[in-house]
Amino acid sequence: MRRRSRQGHARQAAADVAADPELDEQGGWWTSPSTGSVAVATSAVRRLAWALMIAGPVLGGWAIVSQPSADTQSAPVVQSSSRDTAGPGGFAELYVAAFLRAGEGSQSELAAFYFGATDLELGGKPDAVQVGQIAAVRVKEIAPGRYWSVTVAARVLESAPKNSAASEQPLIRMRFFQVPVEADRDGAPLAALALPAEVTAPAGANPKAELAYGSPLPAQASDPAVDTLSQFFGAYLSGSGELGRYVSPGTRLSPVRPAPYRSATVTQVAVETAFQDSDGDGRIGAPAGRERLRLIVSVKAARPDGIARPLSYALTLAGRDGRWEVAALDATPQITLPDLPDASTASPSNSPTQ
């Protein structure tokens, strides 16, 4: 009798699995369902996958504090830091991605970000729009640690219009959305206060800083500095030659592996100061001693398919034994900043209020 009872439970569990449409949608997970334990395990895997998808893009260790479910009204997923914009930016990226993929029945997913999503009318099939690259391109703090306006750029793949006379190939577009993000107190989970607003692309940047280098000049193959740079980038980017021969002792640099280019050519050089010969032709010449020189170097790198791409590097050259060596690949180019007013004399009325 006990054996019959167990067999009856197994048959009932298999029938429950076959009757559940959500399990049929998993495509490959359910090859031969026969026990209730398999159903429980797969449900757990599905929830774990959703948790990992939410957690992955959020930088700086932002915690996931809850998971959305069918009866979830509001499930904040990211916690904020009062002075850091990574939390609001990452939250807005996830929100916009979920919004673009949303379709009929996606209200609970959006409710993880926006409380009002539970009452939305969503049409069409989910994932009709495929989201590729997505990034927060502007995070403006409205109230310190409490309220932000985040602009998100999303590269999406959309179906061509049905009445399009062109081929029915999907369209790749860059779209921009503005999202209001709020935390009710410092360190609190974040929440969106409204649906994303589609906006035009932000205006181009107007940098205030200037690079602290002279004008770029054509690289001359006869210049000892250019020769060192050419050999260095050939080894660094295309695996041509031994990198260590062109690097200063104690400098730790490794070539890019696997080599992404088949050749690299130095095309222009800009020196940090007006370090030119008497003719002003841009030659750096050989070092007189152990001086150091900072430059920006333009490189034309050819891919394996022959297509060339321009690259730019800030680096430091060091003289040793009458030749130049690469002492460092600088993290950023040197810049000069415009004069700023003395903070001690700035008028309080000129200070931002938000």
Side-chain angles (χ1 to χ4, degrees):
M1 294 294 292
R2 182 175 302 175
R3 179 177 301 175
R4 292 180 180 176
S5 177
R6 291 178 179 174
Q7 292 175 347
H9 285 301
R11 286 193 296 269
Q12 182 60 41
D16 293 341
V17 170
D20 190 346
E22 291 185 1
L23 303 181
D24 292 339
E25 293 176 359
Q26 302 308 310
W29 284 101
W30 296 94
T31 55
S32 57
S34 59
T35 65
S37 61
V38 174
V40 172
T42 302
S43 179
V45 169
R46 186 167 64 249
R47 287 182 171 84
L48 177 60
W50 168 241
L52 293 175
M53 181 182 69
I54 289 291
V58 181
L59 305 178
W62 305 109
I64 295 180
V65 297
S66 62
Q67 289 295 320
S69 60
D71 57 353
T72 299
Q73 295 296 314
S74 179
V77 293
V78 182
Q79 293 208 343
S80 69
S81 171
S82 61
R83 306 308 301 174
D84 201 329
T85 59
F91 176 90
E93 290 171 10
L94 293 172
Y95 178 33
V96 171
F99 172 78
L100 288 169
R101 293 193 302 262
E104 188 175 356
S106 299
Q107 286 85 348
S108 61
E109 181 179 350
L110 287 179
F113 307 94
Y114 171 50
F115 179 85
T118 54
D119 299 324
L120 293 177
E121 294 185 6
L122 298 174
K125 295 181 179 179
D127 294 320
V129 174
Q130 299 295 318
V131 181
Q133 295 171 309
I134 190 164
V137 295
R138 185 172 182 264
V139 180
K140 182 179 180 181
E141 191 175 50
I142 306 301
R146 298 289 299 274
Y147 191 32
W148 302 264
S149 172
V150 184
T151 302
V152 175
R155 189 183 298 275
V156 300
L157 184 67
E158 304 174 341
S159 300
K162 293 182 178 179
N163 58 354
S164 174
S167 63
E168 297 298 320
Q169 294 295 326
L171 303 176
I172 299 177
R173 292 178 177 173
M174 181 68 78
R175 299 168 64 182
F176 295 85
F177 297 86
Q178 198 166 21
V179 179
V181 179
E182 183 246 7
D184 58 7
R185 61 186 182 280
D186 287 352
L190 300 172
L193 298 186
L195 289 170
E198 187 146 2
V199 296
T200 59
N206 183 21
K208 302 297 188 295
E210 295 182 357
L211 294 178
Y213 302 84
S215 300
L217 296 173
Q220 300 187 31
S222 60
D223 190 335
V226 172
D227 180 65
T228 294
L229 293 170
S230 298
Q231 300 294 335
F232 169 80
F233 283 110
Y236 185 69
L237 295 174
S238 65
S240 174
E242 182 182 350
L243 186 67
R245 296 180 57 187
Y246 312 104
V247 175
S248 296
T251 299
R252 301 180 61 181
L253 287 174
S254 300
V256 180
R257 297 286 176 82
Y261 303 100
R262 71 181 187 185
S263 66
T265 304
V266 175
T267 58
Q268 288 184 324
V269 176
V271 184
E272 183 183 17
T273 58
F275 188 80
Q276 299 176 351
D277 66 1
S278 57
D279 295 330
D281 61 359
R283 278 178 53 87
I284 296 173
R290 303 182 68 86
E291 61 264 43
R292 297 171 72 88
L293 188 65
R294 288 186 289 211
L295 311 95
I296 286 185
V297 181
S298 299
V299 177
K300 183 171 69 174
R303 302 185 318 207
D305 61 5
I307 303 299
R309 286 289 182 264
L311 303 173
S312 181
Y313 291 87
L315 55 79
T316 300
L317 289 180
R320 186 170 72 96
D321 297 334
R323 67 178 185 273
W324 291 108
E325 297 173 331
V326 175
L329 285 180
D330 300 331
T332 58
Q334 297 296 311
I335 61 172
T336 57
L337 293 172
D339 293 336
L340 299 177
D342 187 348
S344 62
T345 60
S347 171
S349 61
N350 294 331
S351 301
T353 58
Q354 293 181 332

